[in-house]
Amino acid sequence: MLDIRELREKPAELEARLRTRDASIDLSPILRLDERRRRLIGEVEELKAERNRGSQEVARRKKSSENVDSLLTQLSQVSSRISELDGELRDLDTEIDAIVQRLPNIPHASVPVGAKDAKVILRTFGEAPKPGFAVRHHLDIAEEKGLLDFKRAAAIAGARFPMYMGRAALLEFALLQFMLSHHARRGYTPVLPPFVANEESFFVSSQLPKFADEIYHIEKDGLYLNPTAESLLVNLHRGETLAASDLPKKYVAYTPCFRREAGTYGEEERGLIRVHQFNKVELFKFTTPETSYDELDALIADAESVLQALQVHYRVALLPTQDMAQQAAKTVDLEVYLPGQGRYYEVSSCSNCEAFQARRGNIRYRPSSTEKPVFVHTLNGSGLATSRLVAAIFENNQTADGRIRIPEVLQSAVGVDTL
């Protein structure tokens, strides 16, 4: 959530930057409401001062045995007016909050302006495979080998829910265990959080109120299924004031993720590319504002190290303003190449949300014992999501005789070197 004071102080500059994300953004309604709110606050403060002076005068007159009836009537009218204005202020606060809560974060100066096609490829790892045979789509080869069973999954839960079978189930768990242990060795504290969260938690993470239609809601219990562990981890220190010596705090969590994924995506609906349920290992950091972009670079490197260990070709892309999540100020994606489809797919989005989520969750730190608390910066990134990673292994590691090579770091857990 943005700071209304900052919007008030630099309205033209911030509106211009926000419009690079959404051309329809207009800050003037918020500013008008804010100006009215500040006028009302001034009026309430004057009335309260008048009431205080009147109360003192009542005490003085009573002490002198003077009549106070008219003054008490006047003070009653003042109190009624204060109550009336307090009600107006509450309504204004609600109206302002409703608008501000739907505004996206201000993009960092390094973020390219534009839609998806404006993304910038920063670097690549390895080269796209060029086998001397036709690489099969991961779904086709997996179904033939009995590794994925979407038909039976659909009978159990509906379309676009995956079911891993046999060695594919072992491969999935091998990936999760490898990634969780890998990041723990790199200094992240492992967390196994609840897989559901309440409304306040999803407000802090920024899924609510704007994206309510995209997440699964358990109405009877007032809970939501987790779409990404970011939603859970950002709430670990909700309402807390941390010491500077506590930062950065680095967490890694495993969770299943559930997303409605409404819409039609064509080829992306086949197989593991865009599903309603998938597993993910998530990286999350709480940092100081001064170090957050260095920590973002480190987080990206940590996510990349998984792909490097798996020897999967990938590229690193800086997302443009119109392709970032609401809470992000800067996002860098890791995209793996799927030769069976001849295109890249994102397996990790690494973002610096600056103080956007911390302001919603009142998460602060105290720079020193003599300084006032300030908001932390929050960072998140997949480290990694397994569904597209499994698809990448199935397509990149095919052999001419129809086998699938298991990455060396996973072979002992899966029990074989090929599928």
Side-chain angles (χ1 to χ4, degrees):
M1 191 163 66
L2 300 180
D3 186 348
I4 188 67
R5 292 172 298 181
E6 191 175 2
L7 296 177
R8 183 191 307 147
E9 292 167 3
K10 298 182 289 184
E13 175 191 341
L14 297 187
E15 183 176 80
R17 292 172 66 183
L18 288 170
R19 282 183 174 177
T20 66
R21 302 197 63 169
D22 181 348
S24 69
I25 288 176
D26 179 6
L27 295 182
S28 58
I30 304 171
L31 297 174
R32 284 195 298 269
L33 291 169
D34 179 60
E35 184 179 357
R36 181 182 167 199
R37 177 181 175 276
R38 285 184 290 142
R39 285 201 307 268
L40 288 181
I41 289 173
E43 186 176 346
V44 168
E45 289 175 348
E46 289 178 6
L47 288 170
K48 286 181 177 178
E50 180 182 343
R51 184 174 62 183
N52 289 339
R53 291 192 297 269
S55 296
Q56 293 171 2
E57 179 64 15
V58 167
R60 187 195 66 77
R61 291 187 185 183
K62 284 185 175 179
K63 191 174 183 179
S64 303
S65 299
E66 297 179 43
N67 186 287
V68 296
D69 291 348
S70 61
L71 186 53
L72 289 174
T73 299
Q74 180 183 340
L75 289 179
S76 176
Q77 293 171 346
V78 170
S79 294
S80 294
R81 179 57 178 162
I82 290 172
S83 296
E84 181 182 331
L85 293 179
D86 282 342
E88 289 186 38
L89 282 170
R90 284 192 295 271
D91 291 343
L92 276 174
D93 285 339
T94 300
E95 194 171 354
I96 291 170
D97 285 346
I99 300 174
V100 174
Q101 286 167 12
R102 292 181 176 271
L103 289 175
N105 205 348
I106 298 165
H108 188 264
S110 63
V111 175
V113 173
K116 286 186 177 183
D117 56 1
K119 72 180 176 184
V120 176
I121 304 304
L122 301 176
R123 58 185 175 274
T124 61
F125 175 81
E127 295 183 358
K130 298 177 181 178
F133 59 90
V135 174
R136 301 177 66 188
H137 189 286
H138 68 275
L139 179 60
D140 297 331
I141 192 169
E143 286 188 330
E144 180 182 284
K145 290 177 174 290
L147 299 172
L148 291 174
D149 194 335
F150 276 89
K151 291 181 180 178
R152 288 187 173 91
I156 295 169
R160 292 165 67 187
F161 283 91
M163 185 152 63
Y164 298 81
M165 303 293 293
R167 298 285 184 184
L170 294 179
L171 175 62
E172 177 80 357
F173 276 98
L175 275 169
L176 292 169
Q177 179 60 47
F178 166 70
M179 292 187 293
L180 198 63
S181 299
H182 177 81
H183 293 304
R185 289 192 296 270
R186 295 172 79 92
Y188 291 82
T189 300
V191 179
L192 191 60
F195 298 158
V196 295
N198 55 31
E199 185 172 335
E200 184 177 359
S201 296
F202 277 86
F203 170 76
V204 173
S205 65
S206 303
Q207 268 76 39
L208 294 176
K210 191 172 183 179
F211 301 104
D213 292 340
E214 298 181 17
I215 51 180
Y216 288 98
H217 186 198
I218 309 170
E219 294 185 24
K220 183 176 180 180
D221 302 295
L223 296 171
Y224 296 82
L225 293 183
N226 163 57
T228 169
E230 171 198 353
S231 307
L232 313 172
L233 296 178
V234 69
N235 287 279
L236 278 178
H237 298 291
R238 188 173 75 203
E240 295 181 23
T241 299
L242 306 171
S245 58
D246 292 332
L247 302 178
K249 280 189 171 292
K250 301 163 55 177
Y251 297 102
V252 57
Y254 156 70
T255 61
C257 302
F258 304 88
R259 298 182 184 178
R260 291 189 183 279
E261 295 285 13
T264 301
Y265 300 95
E267 183 65 17
E268 294 185 18
E269 290 187 335
R270 288 196 72 215
L272 296 170
I273 300 304
R274 192 177 291 274
V275 289
H276 293 310
Q277 177 185 327
F278 58 94
N279 293 310
K280 188 165 68 153
V281 169
E282 182 79 2
L283 306 176
F284 200 91
K285 293 184 180 184
F286 297 87
T287 77
T288 65
E290 295 78 15
T291 62
S292 67
Y293 279 95
D294 289 337
E295 291 291 347
L296 176 62
D297 290 339
L299 187 148
I300 294 166
D302 290 332
E304 284 187 76
S305 68
V306 171
L307 292 173
Q308 292 169 11
L310 297 173
Q311 290 295 298
V312 176
H313 165 62
Y314 68 91
R315 67 185 186 184
V316 182
L318 174 61
L319 296 193
T321 52
Q322 294 173 32
D323 200 25
M324 297 191 297
Q326 180 196 26
Q327 64 270 26
K330 182 176 182 176
T331 298
V332 172
D333 276 4
L334 307 185
E335 301 176 342
V336 295
Y337 183 70
L338 269 64
Q341 299 170 60
R343 60 174 293 185
Y344 289 87
Y345 283 103
E346 171 258 315
V347 291
S348 176
S349 279
C350 302
S351 299
N352 187 347
C353 299
E354 297 189 357
F356 193 89
Q357 294 173 320
R359 188 171 287 108
R360 286 178 172 229
N362 192 28
I363 311 165
R364 304 170 185 258
Y365 83 103
R366 194 180 296 277
S368 72
S369 59
T370 59
E371 295 180 85
K372 292 182 178 179
V374 296
F375 290 114
V376 301
H377 280 192
T378 60
L379 293 75
N380 68 82
S382 304
L384 305 158
T386 59
S387 53
R388 293 180 181 180
L389 200 50
V390 168
I393 291 172
F394 284 0
E395 294 194 17
N396 282 279
N397 292 15
Q398 288 182 35
T399 63
D401 59 0
R403 292 175 295 128
I404 301 170
R405 295 188 308 275
I406 302 296
E408 186 175 348
V409 294
L410 306 177
Q411 288 176 8
S412 62
V414 179
V416 293
D417 57 5
T418 61
L419 297 174

